[in-house]
Amino acid sequence: MGVRNDELIIALPKGKLGEDALDIFQKIGLPAWEIQEDSRKLSYCFNDQGIKYLICRPTDIPTYVEYGAADIGIVGKDTLEESRADVFEICDLGYGYCKFVVAIPKDVLEKIEKKHGAFNLKYFTNTRVATKFPRITKNFFNSKGIQVEVLKLHGNVELAPAVGLSEMIVDLVSTGRTLKENNLVAVEEISEITARLIANRVSYRIKNSWIQEIVTKCNQIVDLRGKQ
C-alpha cells in the first residue's frame, strides 16, 4: 500500500487504551474533537490538519500499521509481542499498566508449599497452560526450559483450572482482583505491560519529522506524568 505524504493516518484502539490516547493527543495539539468511542463510526478525518484516525480492534492495530493502512498506532505491549508485527516501537506511553503472570489455584500452591517448602515452576513440567497469549506463553516457558502444552482460549481463562482444562494460566492482571475471585494466585511475573506508539517502517522514513514531533511531545507528557 502506498504512503501519502500529505496525510498522517493513526490507528486508534477501541476502549480505554483509545480514550487515554485521545487525552494525550489533545494535550500535544493533535485534532481529536468529536471522536466518540461509543460510536459505530470507524474513521475520522481532519483534513485541515492532515490527520485521519482509524478506530480499530486493539488486536488488529499491529496489522494495520505493519501493512501501511495506518502510519502509526497505539497498542498494548502485550498485543505487540503476541503479534510479532514488523513495525517500529517508537514510544512507551506509560499508561494502561498491567503485567503478565503465571497463576495457579490457591489450594494447589498451598499443597506444593507444604510438600516442598517453596514453589517452583518446574513442578509443572508436561502440564497444560491456558492463555489468550500462546506465543508469549510458549516463549516464556521455553526460556525456563519447561515443557508445557499451551491451550489458546479467547476469554475467561480463569475458568480453565476450575474445570480441569489446565493446571495453570498465563494472563494479564492489573489489580489481581479477578484472580482472587477465582481462587487463583500469581506465582511468577513474566513482564510488565504499557501502551506503546508504533510506526510503519516506510512511514517512519517518509514522514519522520512529523512522527518524531509527535514522539517528542508524547515523551514530554509521559515525563510530566511521572513527576506528578
Side-chain angles (χ1 to χ4, degrees), residues 16-32:
K16 189 66 168 60
L17 278 185
E19 292 173 8
D20 290 342
L22 284 174
D23 179 60
I24 290 178
F25 287 164
Q26 290 179 39
K27 288 177 178 176
I28 68 174
L30 288 179

Side-chain angles (χ1 to χ4, degrees), residues 119-137:
F119 175 81
N120 192 314
L121 270 180
K122 292 185 178 180
Y123 298 146
F124 286 82
T125 298
N126 297 321
T127 59
R128 294 190 298 267
V129 185
T131 184
K132 290 177 280 190
F133 304 92
R135 186 192 300 273
I136 291 170
T137 300

Side-chain angles (χ1 to χ4, degrees), residues 1 10 18 35-36 46 62-64 66 75 85 87 92 109 132 139 158 168 213 216 218 222 224-225:
M1 180 176 289
I10 303 172
I35 297 179
Q36 300 176 357
F46 298 88
T63 302
Y64 274 77
E66 179 177 7
V75 65
V87 298
D92 182 350
L109 177 61
K132 290 177 280 190
N139 288 343
E158 297 86 4
M168 293 184 289
E213 182 180 359
T216 298
C218 283
V222 173
L224 194 62
R225 286 181 173 179

Side-chain angles (χ1 to χ4, degrees), residues 179-198:
L179 291 182
K180 187 175 181 180
E181 289 179 348
N182 289 278
N183 196 40
L184 295 168
V185 180
V187 291
E188 188 139 353
E189 181 178 316
I190 297 176
S191 62
E192 296 182 333
I193 301 297
T194 50
R196 308 299 168 101
L197 184 63
I198 61 174

Side-chain angles (χ1 to χ4, degrees), residues 164-181:
L165 182 62
S166 72
E167 288 75 26
M168 293 184 289
I169 68 168
V170 168
D171 204 10
L172 287 173
V173 300
S174 51
T175 65
R177 179 179 175 183
T178 303
L179 291 182
K180 187 175 181 180
E181 289 179 348

Side-chain angles (χ1 to χ4, degrees), residues 86-126:
D86 186 19
V87 298
F88 282 133
E89 182 182 326
I90 53 178
C91 182
D92 182 350
L93 296 172
Y95 70 86
Y97 175 83
C98 53
K99 54 188 177 182
F100 269 119
V101 301
V102 180
I104 65 173
K106 183 179 179 181
D107 58 340
V108 173
L109 177 61
E110 291 172 347
K111 290 177 182 177
I112 289 173
E113 290 178 336
K114 185 176 181 180
K115 181 177 180 181
H116 299 282
F119 175 81
N120 192 314
L121 270 180
K122 292 185 178 180
Y123 298 146
F124 286 82
T125 298
N126 297 321

